[in-house]
Amino acid sequence: MTGSTCNTNTRASSGVYWCESETQSSNAANITIHSVPHPVLTVSPSWTSPGDSVTLTCSVGPPSAGWRFFWYKAVPDMSDYYTYELLAGGTTGTEQDSYILHGQTHTAGYVCRARRGDPVFYTLYSDVKFVWSGGVNPAASFTVSPHRLQHFSIESLSLICEGNSAEWRVMKVDEDGDVSTCSDWGEMTGSTCNTNTTASSGVYWCESETQSSNAANITIHKFNRVTAAGMKLFLNLLVRERSTL
């Protein structure tokens, strides 16, 4: 409250509002305050081969007419997570709630938002959704040591980035879609992330400010207690690893 004026913040909600003093009460107004929509972006397919087309779909709920949709690439920011760069030709947006990317070649993240009305009203940005490539990118490669895709949480993995960049980070999207970086479940030393026991299953890859590597879907089994079945699986993995050396 500043003098006789109340400036609301983002916690304001719908309701009946009025002014009052010790001796007077004003007229009242029934005010509806809508929360800013948070669109949901989906990508199909999420795993690609070089040259595939990918469809981005942006959903704003509850559905209603009049939205224009804007499409962005998530550009890695080494001091934060991502900045958003409008895709080519996207300054005026599209009436359609889908956008087709042609010739997808490397791992990349995408974001959408929508606007409508006069004055213009924007939604929030969607969460970043990724399109992953398992193909080799000469400018950015990702390797796992030990060289297999199933591990136990008691093991430390070396996740190695190589390519045409001076600074790398290792990223992960877990089974719930949450994005994290090496510092959340390991330690980055140069271009290698060494995991700790908090690492979990998910899709892992390397990225710099200009490059993104191939991705790998890594399964990490929790080794909370040793069971006969768990020990057998662990020993089988070790036997397979040594047989490939």
Side-chain angles (χ1 to χ4, degrees), residues 41-42 54-59 69-71 93-101 112:
L41 178 66
T42 56
V54 175
T55 300
L56 311 179
T57 303
C58 192
S59 301
F69 296 89
F70 294 80
W71 313 92
T94 64
E95 292 184 1
Q96 296 76 28
D97 63 356
S98 61
Y99 185 96
I100 298 177
L101 299 165
C112 73

PDB file of all heavy atoms in Angstrom, residues 41-42 54-59 69-71 93-101 112:
ATOM      1  N   LEU A  41       5.122 -27.783 -24.486  1.00  0.00           N
ATOM      2  CA  LEU A  41       5.720 -28.122 -25.779  1.00  0.00           C
ATOM      3  C   LEU A  41       5.976 -29.607 -25.850  1.00  0.00           C
ATOM      4  O   LEU A  41       6.499 -30.208 -24.907  1.00  0.00           O
ATOM      5  CB  LEU A  41       7.033 -27.357 -25.965  1.00  0.00           C
ATOM      6  CG  LEU A  41       7.802 -27.640 -27.262  1.00  0.00           C
ATOM      7  CD1 LEU A  41       7.022 -27.153 -28.477  1.00  0.00           C
ATOM      8  CD2 LEU A  41       9.190 -26.999 -27.223  1.00  0.00           C
ATOM      9  N   THR A  42       5.599 -30.227 -26.972  1.00  0.00           N
ATOM     10  CA  THR A  42       5.960 -31.618 -27.228  1.00  0.00           C
ATOM     11  C   THR A  42       6.742 -31.691 -28.532  1.00  0.00           C
ATOM     12  O   THR A  42       6.556 -30.857 -29.429  1.00  0.00           O
ATOM     13  CB  THR A  42       4.716 -32.526 -27.324  1.00  0.00           C
ATOM     14  OG1 THR A  42       3.825 -32.019 -28.332  1.00  0.00           O
ATOM     15  CG2 THR A  42       3.978 -32.580 -25.996  1.00  0.00           C
ATOM     16  N   VAL A  54      11.204 -32.977 -37.642  1.00  0.00           N
ATOM     17  CA  VAL A  54      10.697 -33.008 -36.271  1.00  0.00           C
ATOM     18  C   VAL A  54       9.529 -32.031 -36.156  1.00  0.00           C
ATOM     19  O   VAL A  54       9.607 -30.905 -36.648  1.00  0.00           O
ATOM     20  CB  VAL A  54      11.795 -32.628 -35.259  1.00  0.00           C
ATOM     21  CG1 VAL A  54      11.226 -32.546 -33.843  1.00  0.00           C
ATOM     22  CG2 VAL A  54      12.940 -33.620 -35.318  1.00  0.00           C
ATOM     23  N   THR A  55       8.436 -32.463 -35.527  1.00  0.00           N
ATOM     24  CA  THR A  55       7.276 -31.600 -35.327  1.00  0.00           C
ATOM     25  C   THR A  55       7.232 -31.099 -33.887  1.00  0.00           C
ATOM     26  O   THR A  55       7.245 -31.893 -32.940  1.00  0.00           O
ATOM     27  CB  THR A  55       5.972 -32.347 -35.647  1.00  0.00           C
ATOM     28  OG1 THR A  55       5.995 -32.778 -37.010  1.00  0.00           O
ATOM     29  CG2 THR A  55       4.762 -31.443 -35.431  1.00  0.00           C
ATOM     30  N   LEU A  56       7.214 -29.778 -33.729  1.00  0.00           N
ATOM     31  CA  LEU A  56       7.014 -29.141 -32.430  1.00  0.00           C
ATOM     32  C   LEU A  56       5.539 -28.770 -32.300  1.00  0.00           C
ATOM     33  O   LEU A  56       4.960 -28.191 -33.217  1.00  0.00           O
ATOM     34  CB  LEU A  56       7.860 -27.877 -32.307  1.00  0.00           C
ATOM     35  CG  LEU A  56       9.343 -27.957 -32.668  1.00  0.00           C
ATOM     36  CD1 LEU A  56       9.993 -26.579 -32.485  1.00  0.00           C
ATOM     37  CD2 LEU A  56      10.059 -29.001 -31.841  1.00  0.00           C
ATOM     38  N   THR A  57       4.924 -29.086 -31.156  1.00  0.00           N
ATOM     39  CA  THR A  57       3.525 -28.739 -30.916  1.00  0.00           C
ATOM     40  C   THR A  57       3.415 -27.999 -29.588  1.00  0.00           C
ATOM     41  O   THR A  57       3.906 -28.468 -28.562  1.00  0.00           O
ATOM     42  CB  THR A  57       2.643 -29.999 -30.884  1.00  0.00           C
ATOM     43  OG1 THR A  57       2.793 -30.717 -32.117  1.00  0.00           O
ATOM     44  CG2 THR A  57       1.175 -29.624 -30.701  1.00  0.00           C
ATOM     45  N   CYS A  58       2.754 -26.828 -29.636  1.00  0.00           N
ATOM     46  CA  CYS A  58       2.637 -25.963 -28.453  1.00  0.00           C
ATOM     47  C   CYS A  58       1.173 -25.920 -28.019  1.00  0.00           C
ATOM     48  O   CYS A  58       0.301 -25.490 -28.779  1.00  0.00           O
ATOM     49  CB  CYS A  58       3.136 -24.563 -28.802  1.00  0.00           C
ATOM     50  SG  CYS A  58       3.394 -23.473 -27.387  1.00  0.00           S
ATOM     51  N   SER A  59       0.898 -26.355 -26.802  1.00  0.00           N
ATOM     52  CA  SER A  59      -0.477 -26.413 -26.295  1.00  0.00           C
ATOM     53  C   SER A  59      -0.668 -25.390 -25.192  1.00  0.00           C
ATOM     54  O   SER A  59       0.115 -25.336 -24.241  1.00  0.00           O
ATOM     55  CB  SER A  59      -0.780 -27.815 -25.756  1.00  0.00           C
ATOM     56  OG  SER A  59      -0.613 -28.794 -26.768  1.00  0.00           O
ATOM     57  N   PHE A  69       1.669 -18.362 -32.221  1.00  0.00           N
ATOM     58  CA  PHE A  69       2.684 -19.167 -31.553  1.00  0.00           C
ATOM     59  C   PHE A  69       4.078 -18.788 -32.037  1.00  0.00           C
ATOM     60  O   PHE A  69       4.301 -18.559 -33.232  1.00  0.00           O
ATOM     61  CB  PHE A  69       2.411 -20.655 -31.804  1.00  0.00           C
ATOM     62  CG  PHE A  69       1.108 -21.125 -31.217  1.00  0.00           C
ATOM     63  CD1 PHE A  69      -0.069 -21.041 -31.958  1.00  0.00           C
ATOM     64  CD2 PHE A  69       1.037 -21.597 -29.924  1.00  0.00           C
ATOM     65  CE1 PHE A  69      -1.283 -21.446 -31.423  1.00  0.00           C
ATOM     66  CE2 PHE A  69      -0.166 -22.006 -29.374  1.00  0.00           C
ATOM     67  CZ  PHE A  69      -1.326 -21.932 -30.127  1.00  0.00           C
ATOM     68  N   PHE A  70       5.005 -18.750 -31.077  1.00  0.00           N
ATOM     69  CA  PHE A  70       6.386 -18.370 -31.369  1.00  0.00           C
ATOM     70  C   PHE A  70       7.310 -19.511 -30.955  1.00  0.00           C
ATOM     71  O   PHE A  70       7.118 -20.138 -29.906  1.00  0.00           O
ATOM     72  CB  PHE A  70       6.751 -17.081 -30.639  1.00  0.00           C
ATOM     73  CG  PHE A  70       5.969 -15.893 -31.138  1.00  0.00           C
ATOM     74  CD1 PHE A  70       4.669 -15.675 -30.704  1.00  0.00           C
ATOM     75  CD2 PHE A  70       6.508 -15.032 -32.072  1.00  0.00           C
ATOM     76  CE1 PHE A  70       3.936 -14.597 -31.172  1.00  0.00           C
ATOM     77  CE2 PHE A  70       5.783 -13.945 -32.544  1.00  0.00           C
ATOM     78  CZ  PHE A  70       4.495 -13.727 -32.099  1.00  0.00           C
ATOM     79  N   TRP A  71       8.321 -19.737 -31.770  1.00  0.00           N
ATOM     80  CA  TRP A  71       9.163 -20.932 -31.650  1.00  0.00           C
ATOM     81  C   TRP A  71      10.621 -20.514 -31.478  1.00  0.00           C
ATOM     82  O   TRP A  71      11.122 -19.650 -32.205  1.00  0.00           O
ATOM     83  CB  TRP A  71       8.997 -21.816 -32.883  1.00  0.00           C
ATOM     84  CG  TRP A  71       7.555 -22.011 -33.230  1.00  0.00           C
ATOM     85  CD1 TRP A  71       6.792 -21.253 -34.087  1.00  0.00           C
ATOM     86  CD2 TRP A  71       6.670 -22.993 -32.686  1.00  0.00           C
ATOM     87  NE1 TRP A  71       5.496 -21.712 -34.114  1.00  0.00           N
ATOM     88  CE2 TRP A  71       5.383 -22.787 -33.265  1.00  0.00           C
ATOM     89  CE3 TRP A  71       6.826 -24.037 -31.769  1.00  0.00           C
ATOM     90  CZ2 TRP A  71       4.292 -23.577 -32.955  1.00  0.00           C
ATOM     91  CZ3 TRP A  71       5.734 -24.828 -31.471  1.00  0.00           C
ATOM     92  CH2 TRP A  71       4.482 -24.605 -32.055  1.00  0.00           C
ATOM     93  N   GLY A  93       5.352 -15.021 -35.684  1.00  0.00           N
ATOM     94  CA  GLY A  93       4.645 -16.169 -35.136  1.00  0.00           C
ATOM     95  C   GLY A  93       3.824 -16.903 -36.182  1.00  0.00           C
ATOM     96  O   GLY A  93       3.788 -16.541 -37.363  1.00  0.00           O
ATOM     97  N   THR A  94       3.159 -17.977 -35.740  1.00  0.00           N
ATOM     98  CA  THR A  94       2.320 -18.780 -36.636  1.00  0.00           C
ATOM     99  C   THR A  94       0.935 -18.930 -36.037  1.00  0.00           C
ATOM    100  O   THR A  94       0.770 -18.963 -34.816  1.00  0.00           O
ATOM    101  CB  THR A  94       2.914 -20.184 -36.860  1.00  0.00           C
ATOM    102  OG1 THR A  94       2.931 -20.900 -35.605  1.00  0.00           O
ATOM    103  CG2 THR A  94       4.329 -20.111 -37.406  1.00  0.00           C
ATOM    104  N   GLU A  95      -0.075 -19.006 -36.898  1.00  0.00           N
ATOM    105  CA  GLU A  95      -1.426 -19.286 -36.410  1.00  0.00           C
ATOM    106  C   GLU A  95      -1.557 -20.740 -35.993  1.00  0.00           C
ATOM    107  O   GLU A  95      -2.352 -21.074 -35.104  1.00  0.00           O
ATOM    108  CB  GLU A  95      -2.450 -18.967 -37.498  1.00  0.00           C
ATOM    109  CG  GLU A  95      -2.575 -17.482 -37.810  1.00  0.00           C
ATOM    110  CD  GLU A  95      -3.673 -17.208 -38.828  1.00  0.00           C
ATOM    111  OE1 GLU A  95      -4.336 -18.186 -39.252  1.00  0.00           O
ATOM    112  OE2 GLU A  95      -3.876 -16.032 -39.191  1.00  0.00           O
ATOM    113  N   GLN A  96      -0.801 -21.612 -36.631  1.00  0.00           N
ATOM    114  CA  GLN A  96      -0.851 -23.029 -36.309  1.00  0.00           C
ATOM    115  C   GLN A  96      -0.081 -23.296 -35.011  1.00  0.00           C
ATOM    116  O   GLN A  96       0.927 -22.646 -34.728  1.00  0.00           O
ATOM    117  CB  GLN A  96      -0.231 -23.870 -37.433  1.00  0.00           C
ATOM    118  CG  GLN A  96      -0.977 -23.788 -38.759  1.00  0.00           C
ATOM    119  CD  GLN A  96      -0.719 -22.487 -39.497  1.00  0.00           C
ATOM    120  OE1 GLN A  96       0.343 -21.886 -39.341  1.00  0.00           O
ATOM    121  NE2 GLN A  96      -1.688 -22.050 -40.281  1.00  0.00           N
ATOM    122  N   ASP A  97      -0.565 -24.265 -34.239  1.00  0.00           N
ATOM    123  CA  ASP A  97       0.102 -24.591 -32.981  1.00  0.00           C
ATOM    124  C   ASP A  97       1.197 -25.630 -33.158  1.00  0.00           C
ATOM    125  O   ASP A  97       1.660 -26.233 -32.188  1.00  0.00           O
ATOM    126  CB  ASP A  97      -0.915 -25.074 -31.940  1.00  0.00           C
ATOM    127  CG  ASP A  97      -1.613 -26.373 -32.348  1.00  0.00           C
ATOM    128  OD1 ASP A  97      -1.368 -26.866 -33.476  1.00  0.00           O
ATOM    129  OD2 ASP A  97      -2.411 -26.877 -31.545  1.00  0.00           O
ATOM    130  N   SER A  98       1.629 -25.844 -34.403  1.00  0.00           N
ATOM    131  CA  SER A  98       2.721 -26.784 -34.668  1.00  0.00           C
ATOM    132  C   SER A  98       3.702 -26.159 -35.644  1.00  0.00           C
ATOM    133  O   SER A  98       3.367 -25.253 -36.408  1.00  0.00           O
ATOM    134  CB  SER A  98       2.196 -28.111 -35.212  1.00  0.00           C
ATOM    135  OG  SER A  98       1.514 -27.910 -36.431  1.00  0.00           O
ATOM    136  N   TYR A  99       4.941 -26.659 -35.577  1.00  0.00           N
ATOM    137  CA  TYR A  99       6.018 -26.119 -36.394  1.00  0.00           C
ATOM    138  C   TYR A  99       6.917 -27.288 -36.769  1.00  0.00           C
ATOM    139  O   TYR A  99       7.296 -28.084 -35.902  1.00  0.00           O
ATOM    140  CB  TYR A  99       6.794 -25.080 -35.584  1.00  0.00           C
ATOM    141  CG  TYR A  99       7.879 -24.336 -36.327  1.00  0.00           C
ATOM    142  CD1 TYR A  99       7.637 -23.087 -36.896  1.00  0.00           C
ATOM    143  CD2 TYR A  99       9.168 -24.858 -36.429  1.00  0.00           C
ATOM    144  CE1 TYR A  99       8.635 -22.377 -37.554  1.00  0.00           C
ATOM    145  CE2 TYR A  99      10.176 -24.164 -37.088  1.00  0.00           C
ATOM    146  CZ  TYR A  99       9.906 -22.925 -37.648  1.00  0.00           C
ATOM    147  OH  TYR A  99      10.896 -22.239 -38.304  1.00  0.00           O
ATOM    148  N   ILE A 100       7.258 -27.399 -38.049  1.00  0.00           N
ATOM    149  CA  ILE A 100       8.063 -28.534 -38.513  1.00  0.00           C
ATOM    150  C   ILE A 100       9.498 -28.076 -38.760  1.00  0.00           C
ATOM    151  O   ILE A 100       9.746 -27.102 -39.476  1.00  0.00           O
ATOM    152  CB  ILE A 100       7.474 -29.156 -39.791  1.00  0.00           C
ATOM    153  CG1 ILE A 100       6.071 -29.699 -39.504  1.00  0.00           C
ATOM    154  CG2 ILE A 100       8.379 -30.278 -40.310  1.00  0.00           C
ATOM    155  CD1 ILE A 100       5.369 -30.262 -40.718  1.00  0.00           C
ATOM    156  N   LEU A 101      10.424 -28.791 -38.137  1.00  0.00           N
ATOM    157  CA  LEU A 101      11.853 -28.577 -38.373  1.00  0.00           C
ATOM    158  C   LEU A 101      12.312 -29.600 -39.403  1.00  0.00           C
ATOM    159  O   LEU A 101      12.123 -30.810 -39.211  1.00  0.00           O
ATOM    160  CB  LEU A 101      12.647 -28.776 -37.076  1.00  0.00           C
ATOM    161  CG  LEU A 101      12.310 -27.837 -35.913  1.00  0.00           C
ATOM    162  CD1 LEU A 101      12.891 -28.385 -34.621  1.00  0.00           C
ATOM    163  CD2 LEU A 101      12.842 -26.446 -36.186  1.00  0.00           C
ATOM    164  N   CYS A 112       8.574 -22.857 -26.728  1.00  0.00           N
ATOM    165  CA  CYS A 112       7.524 -22.086 -27.402  1.00  0.00           C
ATOM    166  C   CYS A 112       6.852 -21.144 -26.411  1.00  0.00           C
ATOM    167  O   CYS A 112       6.979 -21.302 -25.190  1.00  0.00           O
ATOM    168  CB  CYS A 112       6.483 -23.012 -28.036  1.00  0.00           C
ATOM    169  SG  CYS A 112       5.371 -23.829 -26.857  1.00  0.00           S
TER     170      CYS A 112
END
